[in-house]
């Protein structure tokens, strides 16, 4: 049984050995780019032997200039249809021809000929941003990488705003793990805790300035963050706890680690934190005014206006519900 070759490497070989020679021979003056981006576990670097059972093949996305697509697109497509081998490394092959502008219109509903606005950032699904910035560019003569670089990560003030949104998903529920458990609802307490674990993980992606992938690879990608080794066992304790007291104690530890991560970023003055008792109830919460500190640092007037309009956010979550590019116009109307 042959050793597993990751899809990014297999596709690189497919391009260099099977596709590039055809382009060089038949269209020697054609500028093009070649890459593997977009859908697929191999694009994210998470594929393994199991991935090969479906939708996993040597494949490449080719990008040509708009004018070359208009003038020679049909000839290029026909030549590749006739000459690209149907199989490579004993697997069915696949390729597609795009223009850079057309690809991003299809995958983000965004015209790369214009500037990216704050509301654009907040309507691009995070998993799609990861998909187009992950993968590999094997050859680049038409500016594909320069466009990808524009999407590398949120601008500073947009980043601050989504951090505010992340903290606000946690703050309203920090005491509810204990409250549900106190009335004997351990299942409900565990459900709330699992949501808090997910949101804490999301904050960690933000703090390390990495886009989070969709659910299948969310935990895998989290484990590869700088904080993953320290936080993963703590968060597992939260999920494995049998009682609300154990759950709450593990969450207190997790909050403390994430709070320290925020202060280490030095993007706000240090936020003081403390463990508070909720009124005279037997529940502890870890509190620090991270949303307030982050909001105070936002300078972009457009982002500031968004933060004032949606102070507790939640609006940023809609982009992951309405993730298909054809729905982005509906999201944009929310900002107008």
């Amino acid at each position: 049984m042959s050793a597993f070759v990751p899809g990014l490497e297999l596709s690189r070989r497919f391009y260099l050995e099977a596709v590039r020679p055809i382009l060089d021979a038949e269209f020697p003056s054609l500028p093009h780019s070649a890459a593997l981006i977009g859908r697929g576990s191999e694009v994210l670097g998470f594929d393994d032997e199991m991935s090969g059972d479906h939708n996993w093949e040597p494949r490449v996305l080719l990008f040509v200039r708009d004018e070359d697509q208009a003038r020679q697109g049909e000839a290029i497509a026909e030549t590749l249809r006739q000459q690209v081998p149907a199989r490579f490394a004993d697997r069915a092959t696949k390729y597609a021809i795009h223009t850079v502008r057309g690809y991003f219109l299809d995958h983000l509903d965004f015209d790369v000929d214009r500037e990216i606005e704050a509301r654009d950032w907040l309507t691009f699904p995070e998993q799609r941003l990861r998909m187009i910035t992950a993968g590999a560019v094997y050859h680049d003569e038409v500016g594909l990488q320069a466009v990808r670089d524009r999407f590398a990560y949120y601008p500073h003030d947009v980043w601050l705003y989504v951090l505010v949104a992340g903290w606000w998903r946690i703050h309203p529920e920090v005491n509810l793990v204990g409250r549900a458990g106190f009335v004997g609802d351990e299942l409900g307490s565990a459900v709330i805790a699992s949501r808090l674990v997910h949101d804490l993980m999301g904050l960690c992606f933000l703090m390390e300035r990495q886009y989070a992938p969709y659910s299948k690879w969310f935990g895998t990608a989290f484990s590869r963050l700088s904080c993953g080794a320290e936080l993963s066992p703590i968060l597992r304790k939260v999920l494995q706890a049998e009682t609300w007291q154990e759950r709450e104690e593990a969450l207190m530890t997790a909050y403390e680690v994430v709070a320290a991560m925020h202060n280490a970023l030095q993007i706000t003055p240090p936020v003081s934190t403390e463990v508070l008792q909720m009124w005279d109830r037997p529940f502890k919460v870890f509190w620090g005014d991270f949303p307030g500190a982050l909001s105070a640092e936002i300078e972009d007037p457009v982002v500031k206006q968004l933060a004032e309009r949606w102070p507790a956010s939640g609006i940023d979550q809609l982009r992951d519900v309405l993730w298909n590019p054809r729905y982005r116009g509906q999201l944009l109307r929310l900002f107008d």
Side-chain angles (χ1 to χ4, degrees), residues 7-25:
L8 282 175
E9 172 59 20
L10 183 63
S11 294
R12 183 188 71 84
R13 295 180 192 172
F14 169 59
Y15 165 69
L16 290 176
E17 298 174 22
V19 178
R20 178 70 183 271
I22 298 170
L23 294 174
D24 287 346

Side-chain angles (χ1 to χ4, degrees), residues 62-327:
L62 298 172
F63 295 85
V64 298
R65 297 179 304 185
D66 292 87
E67 58 268 32
D68 290 328
Q69 174 68 4
R71 187 172 60 251
Q72 302 183 78
E74 290 186 9
I76 297 168
E78 180 60 28
T79 298
L80 293 176
R81 265 195 302 270
Q82 293 180 5
Q83 298 191 34
V84 170
R87 300 188 69 81
F88 181 87
D90 201 30
R91 285 190 168 272
T93 61
K94 195 168 185 177
Y95 63 88
I97 306 169
H98 302 274
T99 65
V100 173
R101 182 170 178 268
Y103 182 86
F104 283 86
L105 280 169
D106 287 343
H107 287 76
L108 288 180
D109 188 33
F110 179 76
D111 189 341
V112 296
D113 288 341
R114 66 177 185 83
E115 292 299 314
I116 310 174
E117 301 176 5
R119 67 180 197 151
D120 292 318
W121 285 108
L122 295 170
T123 54
F124 296 144
E126 190 172 358
Q127 66 183 31
R128 289 214 160 215
L129 289 172
R130 183 154 182 146
M131 288 162 59
I132 64 168
T133 55
V137 175
Y138 305 125
H139 179 75
D140 191 17
E141 293 179 308
V142 300
L144 174 62
Q145 187 58 50
V147 173
R148 280 176 20 115
D149 288 345
R150 293 176 60 193
F151 295 93
Y153 206 67
Y154 303 115
H156 183 75
D157 279 11
V158 173
W159 178 48
L160 295 181
Y161 176 67
V162 292
L163 282 167
V164 171
W167 280 110
W168 269 120
R169 282 200 285 278
I170 291 167
H171 278 189
E173 295 204 325
V174 292
N175 69 305
L176 300 185
V177 167
R179 187 68 179 100
F182 187 76
V183 297
D185 183 10
E186 290 291 357
L187 178 59
S189 172
V191 168
I192 296 167
S194 68
R195 188 160 57 238
L196 288 168
V197 165
H198 182 276
D199 290 340
L200 284 167
M201 293 167 70
L203 265 178
C204 291
F205 277 102
L206 288 171
M207 290 189 196
E208 296 200 16
R209 297 180 63 84
Q210 290 193 31
Y211 297 126
Y214 80 116
S215 57
K216 179 166 71 168
W217 300 117
F218 186 75
T220 301
F222 177 81
S223 71
R224 299 184 186 183
L225 295 178
S226 298
C227 66
E230 179 181 11
L231 269 172
S232 291
I234 300 170
L235 297 177
R236 281 197 299 271
K237 284 183 180 179
V238 177
L239 298 177
Q240 294 167 357
E242 294 291 330
T243 67
W244 69 264
Q245 293 93 337
E246 295 171 336
R247 217 169 279 126
E248 180 184 82
E249 193 63 33
L251 277 169
M252 292 301 106
T253 303
Y255 295 149
E256 187 175 4
V257 173
V258 176
M261 288 174 59
H262 170 91
N263 284 330
L265 290 173
Q266 299 183 333
I267 54 177
T268 70
V271 176
S272 61
T273 59
E274 56 182 329
V275 176
L276 300 176
Q277 202 77 24
M278 290 292 294
W279 298 288
D280 58 352
R281 300 176 179 184
F283 318 130
K284 293 181 292 186
V285 298
F286 190 93
W287 170 254
D289 189 12
F290 298 99
L294 288 159
S295 296
E297 297 298 317
I298 297 174
E299 297 180 354
D300 185 320
V302 174
V303 180
K304 189 180 288 288
Q305 184 181 48
L306 286 172
E308 291 169 354
R309 187 184 304 171
W310 304 95
S313 194
I315 192 169
D316 68 305
Q317 292 179 285
L318 292 176
R319 60 190 177 151
D320 292 316
V321 176
L322 301 175
W323 55 266
N324 193 295
R326 69 175 179 269
Y327 299 132

